[in-house]
């Protein structure tokens, strides 16, 4: 990480489908600025899933995406004002939805939900920050 960069970044998005792509782009730019390109694919997919959940299931007045570096971990949070917590579903092979939280669990080292005050919830996931592999001299 570049020491001159902030250890966190956040942005608010409207509860509309187009915001999911904007949230992915926001995450890409933040990770690139912090030199965390290796996390881009996994974080991008998790942002997409959590932002989609916020738009589809918690369609209130918008959602906030926050990325923060805490030691050797990157934390992703999606805040919304809806009180209903996400449910992990057991989709069947013929269902095209309901796999998002399974993907978040598979790509991160942990995820969960916390109360957000004064209302709503924070759905979070965590990713280990690993050093880029060094090239070996010939």
């Amino acid at each position: 990480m570049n020491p001159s960069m902030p250890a966190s970044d956040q942005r608010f998005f409207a509860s509309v489908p187009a915001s999911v792509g904007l949230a992915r782009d926001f995450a890409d730019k933040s990770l690139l600025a912090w030199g965390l390109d290796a996390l881009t694919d996994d974080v991008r997919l998790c942002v997409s899933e959590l932002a989609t959940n916020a738009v589809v299931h918690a369609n209130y007045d918008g959602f906030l995406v926050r990325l923060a570096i805490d030691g050797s971990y990157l934390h992703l949070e999606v805040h919304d004002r809806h009180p209903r917590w996400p449910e992990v579903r057991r989709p069947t092979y013929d269902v095209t939805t309901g796999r998002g939280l399974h993907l978040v669990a598979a790509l991160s080292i942990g995820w969960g939900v916390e109360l957000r005050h004064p209302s709503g919830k924070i759905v979070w996931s965590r990713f280990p920050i690993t050093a880029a592999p060094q090239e070996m001299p010939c």
Side-chain angles (χ1 to χ4, degrees):
M1 182 176 125
N2 181 341
S4 66
M5 296 303 296
S8 68
D9 201 3
Q10 63 186 28
R11 185 155 304 146
F12 186 81
F13 298 93
S15 285
V16 296
S19 291
V20 174
L22 296 173
R24 283 192 304 262
D25 292 345
F26 160 72
D28 287 348
K29 289 175 185 171
S30 296
L31 294 172
L32 181 64
W34 294 336
L36 299 176
D37 310 29
L39 294 177
T40 300
D41 291 340
D42 291 350
V43 172
R44 181 179 173 84
L45 184 52
C46 290
V47 166
S48 186
E49 294 299 334
L50 298 180
T52 297
N53 283 352
V55 170
V56 173
H57 301 292
N59 193 2
Y60 261 52
D61 56 355
F63 63 95
L64 179 107
V65 175
R66 181 173 187 270
L67 296 166
I69 296 171
D70 180 15
S72 57
Y73 297 98
L74 174 78
H75 293 272
L76 162 63
E77 299 175 353
V78 176
H79 301 226
D80 67 61
R81 291 185 358 133
H82 197 283
R84 186 172 140 215
W85 287 31
E87 297 176 28
V88 177
R89 297 183 186 170
R90 301 275 180 233
T92 59
Y93 71 92
D94 59 337
V95 176
T96 59
T97 62
R99 292 175 176 81
L101 293 176
H102 292 284
L103 290 171
V104 171
L107 296 173
S108 65
I109 62 165
W111 76 276
V113 185
E114 297 176 7
L115 287 175
R116 179 179 173 265
H117 296 286
S119 65
K121 65 187 169 298
I122 301 167
V123 184
W124 60 267
S125 59
R126 191 164 110 160
F127 305 84
I129 297 172
T130 56
Q134 302 294 319
E135 289 188 27
M136 298 297 290
C138 296

